[in-house]
């Protein structure tokens, strides 16, 4: 797994639960180190050990924590660059949803050796969608659920999300747009500001 992903998990756990809890996770994982390097690759076994230890030490179901991590990735000021990358997908939440097919390619523009599984958005009916998450990254669909929920808040829209299980090896997220402009969205300016 790309170190950038493991580093994001580390940032989430450290920010949410504290540095001491992160050290407990890594001790439980037994990897012989406590910090992930963003630009290195780690084996599936190393990443899997860390995720298993995280579930044990923090005593929460992994899918739940991964969804919280997805929310963290969009809403935490430490990772504002990801929010900006996602907001370039469209002016509205529905436009953003339609841009998700291109997310793996956009991620590779930012980090050339980061390979995310493919995504396909299917429009089932008016304001009802299914997001098909191809296999290849454990927990990816749960992280995306947190991202989708946080981005709906970012746009000020009310959505209902459901992890609908798997179909042909791919995980399916059902998305229902309940109400647009439900609340005031977060401000977004296309141009970057210099301090």
């Amino acid at each position: 797994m790309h170190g950038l992903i493991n580093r994001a998990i580390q940032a989430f756990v450290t920010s949410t639960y504290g540095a001491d809890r992160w050290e407990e996770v890594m001790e439980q994982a037994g990897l012989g180190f406590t910090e992930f390097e963003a630009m290195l690759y780690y084996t599936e076994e190393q990443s899997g050990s860390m995720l298993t230890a995280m579930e044990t030490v923090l005593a929460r179901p992994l899918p739940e924590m991964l969804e919280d991590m997805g929310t963290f990735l969009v809403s935490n000021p430490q990772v504002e660059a990801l929010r900006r990358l996602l907001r370039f997908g469209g002016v509205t939440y529905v436009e953003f949803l339609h841009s998700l097919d291109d997310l793996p390619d956009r991620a590779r523009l930012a980090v050339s050796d980061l390979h995310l599984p493919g995504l396909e958005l299917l429009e089932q009916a008016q304001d009802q969608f299914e997001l098909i998450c191809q296999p290849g990254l454990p927990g990816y669909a749960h992280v995306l659920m947190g991202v989708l929920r946080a981005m709906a808040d970012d746009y000020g829209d009310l959505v209902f999300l459901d992890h609908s299980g798997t179909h042909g090896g791919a995980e399916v997220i059902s998305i229902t747009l309940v109400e647009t402009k439900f609340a005031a969205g977060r401000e977004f300016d296309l141009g970057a500001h210099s301090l």
Side-chain angles (χ1 to χ4, degrees):
M1 190 180 294
H2 198 289
L4 193 60
I5 295 169
N6 287 342
R7 187 71 184 192
I9 294 169
Q10 178 181 330
F12 163 69
V13 172
T14 303
S15 292
T16 308
Y17 299 96
D20 291 346
R21 298 308 301 274
W22 174 252
E23 287 185 19
E24 285 179 54
V25 167
M26 293 305 285
E27 185 176 316
Q28 174 80 23
L31 298 177
F33 56 89
T34 58
E35 303 277 325
F36 285 102
E37 295 296 329
M39 300 315 285
L40 294 180
Y41 275 93
Y42 295 89
T43 65
E44 286 185 30
E45 291 78 20
Q46 288 173 311
S47 298
S49 294
M50 178 263 296
L51 292 172
T52 301
M54 195 169 106
E55 190 170 33
T56 302
V57 169
L58 301 175
R60 286 190 62 208
L62 187 59
E64 212 176 84
M65 286 189 288
L66 292 175
E67 187 172 335
D68 288 349
M69 189 185 109
T71 301
F72 168 84
L73 290 173
V74 173
S75 59
N76 192 294
Q78 293 177 17
V79 283
E80 179 69 19
L82 178 61
R83 175 184 175 246
R84 292 189 60 73
L85 177 71
L86 295 171
R87 280 301 295 256
F88 277 114
V91 175
T92 67
Y93 187 70
V94 172
E95 287 178 7
F96 158 73
L97 289 176
H98 283 287
S99 77
L100 289 173
D101 293 359
D102 300 327
L103 183 61
D105 292 331
R106 282 189 281 144
R108 245 187 330 277
L109 284 174
V111 182
S112 63
D113 59 348
L114 179 61
H115 298 283
L116 298 177
L119 298 171
E120 181 182 4
L121 185 76
L122 304 174
E123 192 162 353
Q124 302 298 342
Q126 179 72 31
D127 296 330
Q128 292 185 335
F129 307 89
E130 281 188 345
L131 182 63
I132 311 300
C133 307
Q134 296 302 320
L137 191 58
Y140 186 50
H142 293 287
V143 173
L144 277 174
M145 282 188 60
V147 167
L148 292 171
R149 193 175 315 284
M151 288 303 291
D153 290 346
D154 210 78
Y155 282 99
D157 292 356
L158 179 63
V159 298
F160 177 76
L161 302 170
D162 182 46
H163 189 285
S164 304
T166 59
H167 180 72
E171 293 182 80
V172 180
I173 300 172
S174 297
I175 306 162
T176 303
L177 182 58
V178 178
E179 187 177 339
T180 59
K181 303 299 178 202
F182 176 75
R186 284 175 61 195
E187 204 167 303
F188 178 72
D189 186 4
L190 208 55
H193 298 287
S194 58
L195 298 175

